[in-house]
Amino acid sequence: MAKVLPKRSEDYSLWYNELVKKADLAENSAVRGCMIIKPYGYSIWEKMQRELDDMFKETGHQNAYFPLFIPKSYLSKEADHVEGFAKECAVVTHYRLKNDENGKGIVVDPDAKLEEELIVRPTSETIIWNTYKNWVQSYRDLPLLVNQWANVVRWEMRTRLFLRTAEFLWQEGHTAHATKQEAKEETERMINVYAEFAEEFMALPVIKGLKSESERFAGALETYCIEGLMQDGKALQAGTSHFLGQNFAKAFDVKFATKEGKQEFVWGTSWGVSTRLMGALVMAHSDDEGLVLPPRLAPIQVVIVPIYKTDEEQSKIAEVAENLKKSLKKKKITVKFDDRDTHKPGFKFAEWELKGVPLRIAIGPRDLENGTVELARRDTKEKQTVNIESIETVIEDTLELIQDNIYKKAKDFRTENTFKVDNYEDFKAQLEKTGGFISAHWDGTAETEEKIKEETKATIRCIPLDAKEENGKCIYSGKPSNKRVLFAKAY
């Protein structure tokens, strides 16, 4: 296989786009701004779904499904919410087509105008809270812990595969509670679940923090987030969890009878991650040769490539490979035996390297004689000769080593690209030179935040949850500040 990717150092954006396409993750569709997720890419998303879904259920949540279409009037019930999403909404105005009278195909039937327009789901708070009104009467009905796996539409003008598309896949949790404390605990619990998933499965180190007021979810009182750092020095928001207070409960009149018989509004949360995680997985770990996938999310963890010249050699190698495949599958390791006779071994090596398979096994005639195989790691490119008798244990151990090494490499990169600055000139210089996370004092005002964004394109990614109290001066205004926040340019 010929060299197929540009170098990250030369054109990171082009490298990313080409890698997503050539590694068979996704491609652009005929519908502007929308993507087609290909089977190999979707299998990674399925593994993400499976792990996250198990984590949600472990914390007491159940899956449900709500309509794709939302009556326009629902969005207008919560003022901040409608303002936050109004410019991104796709609107359904008619319900029927008809043949054009002039014979020019089909047209919208003007007599089929909807009495009330429908919004194609940008997020589901409004329709879910309208439903919760019927589900909640008493404290006995609480808490409601519901999640849905769905697609949403947000009318993006500038799109990029996985990172920002007009339609994308996600999960959205929506919970209702009897007390403020319970709702806040739920909000924090779920951001911790996301952080655990990112670090344990994606091998992506993340910073947990609070969004500034201007960066909060529309309609939330507080937004928690996890932020990762990509290899080009830009940040990527990998998940959010929102404390909604009683905003949506009041907008949709969701009340419950307390133990004392009083009527009170419930307290709410919402939280979600999307196929944007696929973009994070690519950008955080991959290299100039292709994907580098953490074993816990790789669709194929081990690929076996036979090397032979004669039919007899092919037959003997295939027998060994198939037996090895069966034994590894019993250990829940996903294996592919690439026995295609239409491609040479060198082509296969390059293809599976491009697709990020963590471990490659090569078996040739000499290996059969010696009772060995060649084992190659995707993350470090290291090769070793391993006795066939011990290969299963070596593979299990090596997959764990790869998972740990990928995480460590990403964490070391973040550490090396996180900087403390104390004045605006150093802030701008560091942004221009290296990018990365910049820890700096901020006076807490939206005006200062907006000025910095206008002048540098950097935003406050979060106020880290572990940020220490520290007296200082805002890098922009010079006003007092008692805590550093994290700035970065972001996707």
Side-chain angles (χ1 to χ4, degrees):
M1 177 180 282
K3 189 75 174 174
V4 293
L5 296 175
K7 290 184 179 294
R8 289 166 294 169
S9 58
E10 294 174 359
D11 192 330
Y12 191 85
S13 179
L14 181 62
W15 165 82
Y16 171 80
N17 289 332
E18 289 298 297
L19 177 52
V20 167
K21 293 173 185 175
K22 287 179 174 162
D24 279 337
L25 299 182
E27 62 185 35
N28 295 305
S29 77
V31 181
R32 186 183 178 279
C34 295
M35 64 177 167
I36 295 165
I37 304 175
K38 300 180 78 171
Y40 191 67
Y42 198 80
S43 62
I44 299 173
W45 176 243
E46 282 181 313
K47 293 196 83 165
M48 289 181 168
Q49 279 185 302
R50 201 170 298 126
E51 299 298 344
L52 281 165
D53 203 59
D54 287 347
M55 295 172 86
F56 297 157
K57 286 168 181 170
E58 281 292 316
T59 46
H61 300 85
Q62 294 179 300
N63 288 333
Y65 187 79
F66 297 85
L68 174 67
F69 301 115
I70 300 171
K72 186 180 71 174
S73 58
Y74 286 16
L75 263 74
S76 62
K77 290 188 177 184
E78 213 290 327
D80 290 337
H81 192 68
V82 69
E83 185 178 348
F85 284 99
K87 294 179 180 179
E88 298 178 348
C89 289
V91 185
V92 179
T93 58
H94 292 73
Y95 61 84
R96 188 170 60 219
L97 302 172
K98 69 174 186 177
N99 287 320
D100 181 40
E101 294 174 358
N102 298 317
K104 295 180 179 179
I106 56 173
V107 295
V108 174
D109 187 343
D111 296 328
K113 195 173 189 303
L114 289 170
E115 191 172 318
E116 179 179 5
E117 295 94 338
L118 296 173
I119 309 303
V120 182
R121 172 175 56 214
T123 180
S124 297
E125 277 78 7
T126 56
I127 198 157
I128 287 177
W129 280 92
N130 186 73
T131 304
Y132 283 178
K133 179 173 59 180
N134 302 320
W135 290 5
V136 177
Q137 278 78 45
S138 131
Y139 69 91
R140 297 182 183 88
D141 301 319
L142 297 171
L144 276 177
L145 304 176
V146 176
N147 174 66
Q148 84 163 342
W149 292 94
N151 63 333
V152 293
V153 170
R154 297 180 184 175
W155 212 253
E156 299 281 358
M157 299 308 293
R158 296 180 180 177
T159 59
R160 183 180 293 183
L161 293 169
F162 290 122
L163 299 177
R164 196 172 292 277
T165 50
E167 179 196 15
F168 54 91
L169 306 182
W170 78 348
Q171 60 73 213
E172 48 180 324
H174 299 271
T175 70
H177 305 264
T179 68
K180 177 180 181 179
Q181 183 63 26
E182 282 182 24
K184 292 205 76 170
E185 287 173 358
E186 167 77 1
T187 311
E188 293 175 14
R189 179 183 301 113
M190 298 319 295
I191 205 63
N192 286 329
V193 165
Y194 288 152
E196 181 183 349
F197 171 77
E199 299 198 336
E200 294 295 322
F201 292 92
M202 295 179 65
L204 176 67
V206 292
I207 303 289
K208 292 183 288 188
L210 281 166
K211 286 292 189 184
S212 63
E213 185 175 352
S214 62
E215 292 284 332
R216 284 177 195 156
F217 176 75
L221 298 184
E222 286 180 347
T223 289
Y224 291 77
C225 64
I226 52 172
E227 296 282 332
L229 189 64
M230 304 299 101
Q231 292 179 75
D232 62 346
K234 287 185 179 179
L236 187 139
Q237 179 181 286
T240 51
S241 183
H242 315 291
F243 172 57
L244 304 176
Q246 294 175 308
N247 288 355
F248 286 90
K250 290 177 179 177
F252 289 89
D253 197 32
V254 185
K255 295 178 181 178
F256 72 103
T258 67
K259 289 181 180 180
E260 296 74 30
K262 296 180 180 178
Q263 288 287 313
E264 292 185 4
F265 289 106
V266 302
W267 297 81
T269 81
S270 65
W271 30 273
V273 296
S274 75
T275 37
R276 168 175 270 231
L277 292 181
M278 295 283 292
L281 197 66
V282 174
M283 291 197 295
H285 306 310
S286 301
D287 60 26
D288 291 346
E289 280 70 51
L291 297 176
V292 176
L293 296 177
R296 290 177 194 164
L297 292 180
I300 302 167
Q301 293 170 308
V302 179
V303 63
I304 304 172
V305 178
I307 302 172
Y308 57 86
K309 290 183 179 178
T310 68
D311 290 344
E312 183 181 1
E313 289 174 348
Q314 179 189 22
S315 179
K316 289 179 179 179
I317 291 169
E319 184 180 353
V320 172
E322 289 291 355
N323 288 335
L324 177 56
K325 180 179 175 181
K326 286 178 185 176
S327 62
L328 289 173
K329 286 180 77 174
K330 287 179 182 177
K331 293 180 177 291
K332 307 298 183 186
I333 295 171
T334 53
V335 187
K336 180 174 180 62
F337 175 35
D338 188 351
D339 59 351
R340 293 174 294 173
D341 58 8
T342 52
H343 297 84
K344 293 183 178 180
F347 181 95
K348 295 176 184 179
F349 289 175
E351 180 179 18
W352 296 117
E353 183 175 68
L354 175 67
K355 291 192 170 186
V357 175
L359 278 176
R360 184 186 74 230
I361 295 173
I363 308 176
R366 188 173 295 176
D367 294 302
L368 292 181
E369 292 174 11
N370 299 332
T372 61
V373 299
E374 182 189 79
L375 192 64
R377 286 175 57 160
R378 175 64 183 88
D379 61 327
T380 61
K381 312 288 180 68
E382 293 173 335
K383 297 178 183 178
Q384 59 177 314
T385 300
V386 181
N387 191 297
I388 193 74
E389 298 297 326
S390 60
I391 189 64
E392 293 172 29
T393 301
V394 172
I395 285 174
E396 283 186 297
D397 293 344
T398 306
L399 288 172
E400 285 302 309
L401 288 172
I402 293 171
Q403 184 80 27
D404 293 343
N405 182 58
I406 292 174
Y407 175 80
K408 181 180 183 300
K409 185 177 178 182
K411 191 169 185 180
D412 289 346
F413 176 83
R414 188 186 73 184
T415 300
E416 293 162 8
N417 289 276
T418 300
F419 310 95
K420 278 187 177 181
V421 302
D422 292 309
N423 63 72
Y424 196 46
E425 291 307 312
D426 288 348
F427 177 87
K428 290 187 289 186
Q430 195 70 62
L431 262 183
E432 187 66 29
K433 182 181 177 183
T434 60
F437 283 137
I438 299 182
S439 178
H441 281 282
W442 165 58
D443 62 19
T445 68
E447 292 80 9
T448 293
E449 185 178 8
E450 184 60 30
K451 286 289 185 184
I452 292 173
K453 182 179 178 180
E454 285 177 7
E455 294 177 16
T456 68
K457 296 184 179 178
T459 55
I460 296 174
R461 301 317 305 154
C462 69
I463 304 161
L465 295 184
D466 60 0
K468 297 175 182 177
E469 294 289 322
E470 174 191 310
N471 291 327
K473 292 182 179 180
C474 173
I475 55 166
Y476 189 85
S477 67
K479 294 177 181 177
S481 162
N482 64 359
K483 195 179 290 184
R484 290 179 183 268
V485 301
L486 275 189
F487 288 88
K489 291 182 180 179
Y491 285 96

